[in-house]
Amino acid sequence: MSDFRTPPLRRFFVLYKLLWIVGLPFAIAYLFWRGRRDPDYRRHIAERFGFYRKSLDSPVWVHAVSLGELRSAVPLIQRLLDEGNTIVTTHFTPAGRREAERVFATEIAEGRVQVIWIPLEFKWTFRHFFSTFRPRYGLVMEIEIWPEMIRSAAENSIALFACNAQYPLKSFSRDRDKSKWRFDLHSGFAGAFVKSDLQADRFAQAGCPHIHITGELRFDQPVPADHVSKGVAIKADINRPTVTITSVVKGEDDTYIQAIKANKDRLFIYVPRAPERFDETYDMLTEAGLKVARRSDLFDSDLTPIADPDVDVILGDSMGEMYFYLALCDAAIIGGSFVTKGAHNISEPLALGKPVIVGPHTWTIEFPIVEALAADAAVQVTDSEALNALLRSDAIPTTQAATAFFASQKGAVARTLAAIKTETQQPE
């Protein structure tokens, strides 16, 4: 592991510590400000400082900052539990924490999983965290770089691995050319389990040791069969083409509203990424002159229809039901891809054989979108006009191509487990 003595890192950590000391009141204020809409931000504040009411002894530690990262970790966590491990998951956002509490409710009740906040970025908060749990090793999901977490893990002899990892080109180029300290931080990982050959090369250039190419964990996610079967049954009664827009983020609504207006022959399922946007999205869609119905008004808690969806848009105002929304559609538009923050994952629609449509901003899913485009399982458009034209055409990829591509990508959990056992010297 790195000793963090490179000049750029030494200078960085001096500044970083000062920034956190000065910024701590603002960080706390931010949590309480976010708590106006989501009270969970204000709960369990002591955990943000490394203090916990109960603990597991020597668990595997999985850091999944928010919802997407937790979902990618689910199939791996389930296999780790099957092998007799206990798990502590850490999160920064309530969405990630709530999903962990929902998915692993049984295991939490059995005392095999504990769900907590990640400590704030101080050496002493992580010292409390490590002394409380004494994790066997840690897995940081996706592209998260938390400097003090990485340094403290190394200094406390906790093997911390980047897992399901990618180093997007935009971040890689910036760090290599302008933010050398961030580039050097990768040497603090004990290893990396990355998605592709390209990602392995980038992590190696950043000085990360012990790199394994393991693929994309999301392709091994469990699919809720009851959600899919109910969606398929309802889809059989929908007599028009249907498009689901997944994980919509602020800033791209106008693009999708234009597409809906230009394709009134289609039914659109509109699923905001964050629950705090449900009401404002409903207002936005109705103010645009669209006929909208909420999922909560159309279906009961068991997804049984209670009203006729004779509308332009069904607003997906629920969490944890994405596979239901996808089962209703013929193709999926991937949210986030029409704003510069970047697209969300494409594995869920592909798991159901639904071809995907993405906008211009896919740097966050460089793998597997490049491969999916090459396999004709996905199609990319440059702007809203191109999206409208595509929806009016016959150029959307086929179910067969989407299904075949998904099948070719499975197996990441097994490869990741093998890599973990190699690096932590566990028996196969």
Side-chain angles (χ1 to χ4, degrees):
M1 296 185 202
S2 170
D3 59 9
F4 296 97
R5 292 177 183 172
T6 66
L9 278 178
R10 284 205 311 267
R11 291 192 294 270
F12 164 74
F13 273 110
V14 170
L15 178 61
Y16 192 64
K17 180 178 180 180
L18 290 173
L19 286 173
W20 266 99
I21 291 172
V22 173
L24 180 58
F26 299 97
I28 296 172
Y30 170 80
L31 294 174
F32 276 84
W33 177 75
R34 291 298 302 267
R36 295 179 307 159
R37 288 193 170 185
D38 190 335
D40 282 350
Y41 273 102
R42 302 179 180 182
R43 294 177 181 142
H44 310 290
I45 287 294
E47 294 181 0
R48 305 279 191 180
F49 296 91
F51 296 100
Y52 307 97
R53 291 185 178 180
K54 61 179 180 178
S55 67
L56 301 172
D57 187 44
S58 298
V60 174
W61 164 35
V62 178
H63 177 59
V65 66
S66 192
L67 182 63
E69 290 80 7
L70 186 278
R71 285 179 174 166
S72 74
V74 165
L76 179 61
I77 293 174
Q78 289 177 330
R79 284 286 296 277
L80 288 167
L81 288 166
D82 290 342
E83 294 188 353
N85 297 283
T86 56
I87 306 290
V88 60
T89 67
T90 56
H91 313 275
F92 186 81
T93 73
R97 181 172 183 148
R98 283 192 294 260
E99 182 70 358
E101 291 170 340
R102 183 188 71 82
V103 172
F104 299 110
T106 299
E107 292 81 3
I108 292 169
E110 294 170 347
R112 297 194 294 142
V113 172
Q114 187 169 348
V115 179
I116 58 175
W117 296 130
I118 189 67
L120 296 175
E121 285 277 276
F122 293 100
K123 184 178 291 190
W124 61 270
T125 60
F126 276 99
R127 187 165 58 245
H128 280 291
F129 171 72
F130 291 134
S131 65
T132 300
F133 290 99
R134 296 181 295 174
R136 296 169 57 197
Y137 56 86
L139 303 171
V140 179
M141 306 305 299
E142 302 290 342
I143 58 176
E144 291 299 308
I145 298 295
W146 294 65
E148 190 55 60
M149 175 198 293
I150 296 171
R151 180 172 71 167
S152 290
E155 290 182 349
N156 286 272
S157 299
I158 304 296
L160 184 64
F161 300 95
C163 187
N164 208 39
Q166 61 177 327
Y167 205 158
L169 178 60
K170 183 187 293 187
S171 301
F172 175 80
S173 300
R174 178 201 63 208
D175 295 349
R176 180 193 57 198
D177 299 336
K178 298 179 181 179
S179 303
K180 189 62 167 56
W181 63 267
R182 187 178 171 92
F183 206 60
D184 291 346
L185 272 172
H186 289 78
S187 65
F189 284 113
F193 312 133
V194 303
K195 300 184 182 187
S196 67
D197 292 324
L198 177 61
Q199 300 303 325
D201 180 66
R202 290 176 184 168
F203 273 82
Q205 289 188 53
C208 184
H210 306 296
I211 299 167
H212 298 257
I213 300 166
T214 50
E216 170 60 76
L217 288 172
R218 285 186 173 93
F219 286 107
D220 287 356
Q221 281 182 324
V223 176
D226 58 331
H227 286 191
V228 175
S229 62
K230 288 174 180 175
V232 168
I234 294 166
K235 176 71 169 69
D237 293 328
I238 298 175
N239 298 315
R240 50 180 164 153
T242 306
V243 176
T244 295
I245 311 175
T246 71
S247 301
V248 181
V249 300
K250 197 165 188 173
E252 57 183 352
D253 297 282
D254 287 345
T255 294
Y256 300 139
I257 289 172
Q258 289 180 39
I260 296 167
K261 286 184 170 181
N263 293 273
K264 283 296 194 74
D265 60 319
R266 295 179 182 268
L267 172 65
F268 287 83
I269 318 296
Y270 201 103
V271 188
R273 173 109 176 137
E276 56 264 31
R277 295 196 67 229
F278 290 162
D279 289 340
E280 70 178 60
T281 300
Y282 179 85
D283 293 341
M284 191 183 311
L285 293 170
T286 54
E287 288 169 6
L290 298 170
K291 190 175 180 181
V292 186
R294 298 173 184 261
R295 169 257 180 266
S296 55
D297 293 329
L298 293 176
F299 310 101
D300 66 16
S301 59
D302 293 324
L303 299 175
T304 301
I306 55 177
D308 182 13
D310 182 22
V311 292
D312 302 314
V313 183
I314 296 176
L315 174 64
D317 63 342
S318 65
M319 300 296 288
E321 294 180 344
M322 184 60 78
Y323 284 102
F324 169 71
Y325 296 131
L326 290 168
L328 295 172
C329 77
D330 301 295
I333 301 172
I334 306 303
S337 63
F338 286 90
V339 291
T340 56
K341 291 181 70 173
H344 299 295
N345 89 83
I346 64 173
S347 64
E348 291 169 329
L350 291 174
L352 302 188
K354 310 295 184 178
V356 300
I357 302 166
V358 295
H361 302 290
T362 57
W363 64 275
T364 47
I365 54 167
E366 190 171 21
F367 178 87
I369 190 59
V370 171
E371 291 76 7
L373 291 168
D376 293 325
V379 62
Q380 187 167 31
V381 296
T382 55
D383 53 30
S384 59
E385 290 185 6
L387 176 61
N388 297 345
L390 175 67
L391 292 174
R392 290 193 296 268
S393 75
D394 296 321
I396 296 174
T398 65
T399 292
Q400 291 81 359
T403 300
F405 178 73
F406 179 81
S408 73
Q409 299 299 313
K410 292 181 69 64
V413 169
R415 292 188 290 270
T416 303
L417 283 172
I420 290 171
K421 290 172 181 177
T422 297
E423 295 304 331
T424 59
Q425 299 181 339
Q426 298 179 52
E428 291 286 346

